[in-house]
Amino acid sequence: MTKTRKAREHLLERIKSMKANELLPRERDLALELDISRSGLRQALSELENERVIYRVRGKGTYVSDKQISKHTFITSFTRDMIDRGLVAGTRVLSRAQALAVGDVARDLDVPDGTLIYSLQRLRLADSEPMCIENVQLPAELFPDLLREDLDTSLYNILQSRYGIEIAFTRQTIRAIVASAEQRRLLGTPRTAALLEVTRINFDARHRPIERGVSIYRGDRYDFTFNTNHQN
């Protein structure tokens, strides 16, 4: 067994006893512990990263992946969702701006307070009728000049085609809310209408948060369906 292969097996054993998103020791310390060169260790780490056993965050280190989320969560864009429902998707940009991440936004995007982000608000349409209000924040560092793009189209297509970044998995929360006057105006709903608030954090294959979104859906026009696999 080569040293790289042996290091990989030792790393796998170590990772089995670690929690998701727990930080691994520094490469220098791992190389000494496993009696392997830094280049050999990096090869073993790269193999594990390709298998999504670990992920790396630049300037922070190497972490244990949340493998359950990576394997079983699937992403559907609003455009794709509307097509699947037999509806024609549309978008109207309400605002686009640069902003500074603070509070929950900074936490969810895993950036320090004061980090430059892009903030985007769009009204999403189905067969030309309002379906949801979408508020999105993205790290400006990852998507330079994003606000110059045609944001009336699919945002995820832009992230992939222009910046080479794809969504790997999503962490999502859904709750019922009482509509504000502005939300009622944009969505064309009465005061008593039910709305669904969907908060999502989208991650790339390196487990970097790349987008935070809060979408407000009309409860009378939209529902969520989940498929669950039950295992004994």
Side-chain angles (χ1 to χ4, degrees), residues 225-231:
T225 300
F226 298 92
N227 295 322
T228 304
N229 293 324
H230 292 275
Q231 297 179 346

Short mmCIF file of all heavy atoms in Angstrom, two decimals, residues 225-231:
data_model
loop_
_atom_site.label_atom_id
_atom_site.label_comp_id
_atom_site.label_asym_id
_atom_site.label_seq_id
_atom_site.Cartn_x
_atom_site.Cartn_y
_atom_site.Cartn_z
N THR A 225 -44.23 20.18 -2.21
CA THR A 225 -44.34 18.73 -2.13
C THR A 225 -42.96 18.15 -1.83
O THR A 225 -41.98 18.51 -2.48
CB THR A 225 -44.87 18.13 -3.45
OG1 THR A 225 -46.15 18.68 -3.72
CG2 THR A 225 -44.96 16.62 -3.35
N PHE A 226 -42.89 17.24 -0.83
CA PHE A 226 -41.63 16.63 -0.45
C PHE A 226 -41.73 15.12 -0.62
O PHE A 226 -42.73 14.51 -0.24
CB PHE A 226 -41.28 16.94 1.02
CG PHE A 226 -41.10 18.39 1.30
CD1 PHE A 226 -42.16 19.16 1.74
CD2 PHE A 226 -39.87 18.99 1.13
CE1 PHE A 226 -42.00 20.51 1.99
CE2 PHE A 226 -39.69 20.33 1.39
CZ PHE A 226 -40.76 21.10 1.82
N ASN A 227 -40.70 14.53 -1.18
CA ASN A 227 -40.59 13.08 -1.26
C ASN A 227 -39.63 12.61 -0.19
O ASN A 227 -38.51 13.11 -0.08
CB ASN A 227 -40.08 12.64 -2.63
CG ASN A 227 -41.06 12.98 -3.73
OD1 ASN A 227 -42.28 12.87 -3.54
ND2 ASN A 227 -40.56 13.38 -4.89
N THR A 228 -40.05 11.65 0.62
CA THR A 228 -39.24 11.15 1.72
C THR A 228 -39.01 9.66 1.56
O THR A 228 -39.95 8.90 1.33
CB THR A 228 -39.92 11.41 3.08
OG1 THR A 228 -40.19 12.81 3.20
CG2 THR A 228 -39.03 10.95 4.23
N ASN A 229 -37.75 9.25 1.69
CA ASN A 229 -37.42 7.83 1.67
C ASN A 229 -37.38 7.31 3.10
O ASN A 229 -36.68 7.84 3.95
CB ASN A 229 -36.05 7.60 1.00
CG ASN A 229 -36.10 7.93 -0.47
OD1 ASN A 229 -37.10 7.69 -1.13
ND2 ASN A 229 -35.00 8.47 -0.98
N HIS A 230 -38.15 6.26 3.37
CA HIS A 230 -38.17 5.66 4.71
C HIS A 230 -37.32 4.39 4.69
O HIS A 230 -37.50 3.52 3.87
CB HIS A 230 -39.61 5.31 5.11
CG HIS A 230 -40.46 6.52 5.32
ND1 HIS A 230 -40.50 7.20 6.49
CD2 HIS A 230 -41.29 7.17 4.47
CE1 HIS A 230 -41.35 8.21 6.38
NE2 HIS A 230 -41.83 8.23 5.16
N GLN A 231 -36.40 4.32 5.62
CA GLN A 231 -35.52 3.16 5.72
C GLN A 231 -35.62 2.56 7.11
O GLN A 231 -35.74 3.29 8.10
CB GLN A 231 -34.06 3.56 5.44
CG GLN A 231 -33.86 4.10 4.02
CD GLN A 231 -32.41 4.50 3.78
OE1 GLN A 231 -31.64 4.63 4.72
NE2 GLN A 231 -32.07 4.68 2.54
#
